[in-house]
Amino acid sequence: MAFSDYRMALVTGASSGIGATAVRRLCAEGLTVHAVARNAARLAELAAETGCEPHALDVCDSFAVERLVKSIDVDILVNNAGQSRRGTILETTPGDVNTLVDINLRAVLHLTRLIVPGMGERNRGHVVNISSIAGLYAFGENETTFNSSIAYHATKAGIHLLSQQLRVDLLGKSVRVTEIAPGRVATNVFAHAKVAPDDSARLTTSFETLQPSDIADLLIFAIKAPERMNVATLEVTPTCQVVGGLQFARRAV
C-alpha cells in the first residue's frame, strides 16, 4: 500500500508529543487526519496548524469513540494514547491499575475492534500500535529510571501480544500491523507518573532521549513500505540506553 491508497487516519493521544507529531506528518502526506485527545485547546491549535479534524474526547469513553468511528472509514489507526504511573506491586494503587488498564489497553482493544473489521472488508489498512520497551523487558528502579510501574509494564506487554495476534486474525487481508516499541522519548508521559517535577524533567534532560519526530519517522517508514512488506515490530532506544544487567539482593543475615 502507498499513501495514495489511504485517505483517512485516526490518531489518539494527539494533543502533544508523539501523537501531535504523527498528526503533522500524516497531514503533510495529504490524508484527512482525525486527532483524538482530551485537551480541546491543544487540539484546536493543532487543527489550525495542520487542518486535522479535532475530537476532544476521552479514549476510555467507548460510546463517544463508537459514535466517532461509525461515521468515518479509517485507513490508518495510530493507537498512541497512554499514561504511566510509578509503583511496584508492593505500592501500586487500585486507581492506578484501573487507569492504566483503561487507557493503555482497554481503549486500544475497543478502538481496534471498532475499526479493523472495516479495514478487513475494504481489504486496505494499517494499524500502528505505540507500545514500549517496558512491554518487552522488566526494569529495576534506580537513579536512571525511578519510574518502575508494574501496571504500565503489564499493559504495554498486552499491546505487544495484541499486535502479534492481530496479524494472525488478519492473515490473508491487505491490512498491516506495526508495533513501535520505544525506549525513553522526550514526551509528557511522566506527567501523571507520581514523579517529582524536578525528577520528571531530569528523565528527559539529563539523559539522551529520543524525540517524538524519531517515532513519527518510523511510523511513516512502516506505512510507506511496499505492500508486500509488513514492518512488524520496531524496537528503538536512545543510543545510550540499554536494557539488561544481572541483579542480586543480599541474603538476609
Side-chain angles (χ1 to χ4, degrees):
M1 292 291 172
F3 267 101
S4 59
D5 297 310
Y6 299 132
R7 296 184 293 274
M8 190 170 296
L10 187 148
V11 180
T12 67
S15 61
S16 64
I18 295 170
T21 307
V23 169
R24 294 184 181 98
R25 293 295 301 276
L26 291 168
C27 284
E29 295 289 345
L31 276 74
T32 298
V33 181
H34 293 267
V36 175
R38 292 179 297 178
N39 193 315
R42 286 183 183 172
L43 282 180
E45 293 174 359
L46 187 63
E49 173 193 344
T50 65
C52 71
E53 299 288 337
H55 302 277
L57 59 86
D58 190 334
V59 291
C60 296
D61 185 345
S62 57
F63 294 107
V65 169
E66 186 166 2
R67 285 194 298 270
L68 169 61
V69 301
K70 276 185 175 180
S71 64
I72 56 178
D73 291 333
V74 176
D75 296 315
I76 299 171
L77 170 62
V78 181
N79 284 310
N80 167 70
Q83 286 190 18
S84 181
R85 294 286 193 280
R86 184 180 183 182
T88 69
I89 197 63
L90 304 177
E91 58 192 6
T92 194
T93 67
D96 287 349
V97 170
N98 291 337
T99 295
L100 294 191
V101 170
D102 285 346
I103 296 173
N104 295 359
L105 186 56
R106 195 191 312 276
V108 175
L109 281 164
H110 280 306
L111 267 167
T112 303
R113 73 169 180 84
L114 289 167
I115 290 175
V116 168
M119 292 180 175
E121 291 173 4
R122 296 188 299 277
N123 203 35
R124 180 183 74 241
H126 203 133
V127 179
V128 180
N129 291 326
I130 308 298
S131 64
S132 170
I133 60 170
L136 308 176
Y137 306 102
F139 299 165
E141 187 163 302
N142 56 55
E143 66 175 355
T144 66
T145 58
F146 55 82
N147 67 319
S148 178
S149 169
I150 191 164
Y152 185 76
H153 282 260
T155 56
K156 291 303 183 178
I159 297 303
H160 175 61
L161 266 295
L162 165 65
S163 302
Q164 293 188 333
Q165 186 61 46
L166 194 53
R167 294 185 202 104
V168 175
D169 292 354
L170 290 167
L171 182 63
K173 302 287 187 181
S174 293
V175 180
R176 297 180 294 177
V177 182
T178 297
E179 176 193 3
I180 301 177
R184 185 168 297 165
V185 185
T187 70
N188 64 355
V189 69
F190 301 113
H192 304 284
K194 297 182 178 178
V195 176
D198 289 347
D199 287 343
S200 181
R202 189 161 68 87
L203 284 169
T204 55
T205 58
S206 298
F207 303 96
E208 183 177 57
T209 58
L210 300 170
Q211 299 300 311
S213 59
D214 299 327
I215 310 307
D217 287 344
L218 294 177
L219 182 150
I220 298 300
F221 164 75
I223 297 172
K224 282 190 172 182
E227 183 178 356
R228 65 182 178 273
M229 173 176 154
N230 184 91
V231 181
T233 306
L234 287 163
E235 180 183 330
V236 54
T237 62
T239 302
C240 292
Q241 181 186 33
V242 297
V243 181
L246 182 64
Q247 300 183 61
F248 279 90
R250 187 174 296 277
R251 177 184 294 169
V253 177

